[in-house]
Amino acid sequence: GPLSERRLMDVRLGELPAWLATCNFSPQGLLGGAQKAWNSYYDKYINVKRGGPAGISMLLAGYCLLSYGWNYQHISK
């Protein structure tokens, strides 16, 4: 398909600059991309018929690591 409709994982390394040039980096475009990523994550890990606690625990683990990284300077002293 067209380069602008491909996902990042489907783009070859040589096509990456052209693919980035087709992306929408306006605030509305970035917000739409974040919403699309969240919906994809939610559908894959949380909103499944036979899902377990894996999706929510992965989200919480990511939050813990991010919080630790932000507070590392304060914690290490």
Side-chain angles (χ1 to χ4, degrees):
L3 188 61
S4 62
E5 293 179 6
R6 290 189 200 165
R7 294 174 27 177
L8 176 60
M9 297 303 291
D10 297 333
V11 176
R12 293 187 177 139
L13 192 56
E15 298 172 333
L16 188 59
W19 181 79
L20 284 173
T22 64
C23 293
N24 184 4
F25 290 108
S26 68
Q28 184 178 6
L30 292 174
L31 186 62
Q35 183 178 11
K36 185 177 177 182
W38 171 254
N39 287 338
S40 175
Y41 172 83
Y42 185 82
D43 288 339
K44 186 172 183 179
Y45 293 108
I46 297 174
N47 191 22
V48 292
K49 291 182 181 177
R50 283 189 263 153
I56 295 173
S57 64
M58 191 165 46
L59 187 66
L60 289 174
Y63 173 74
C64 290
L65 288 174
L66 189 64
S67 177
Y68 179 78
W70 283 335
N71 294 317
Y72 180 76
Q73 294 284 343
H74 178 70
I75 294 171
S76 65
K77 292 182 181 181

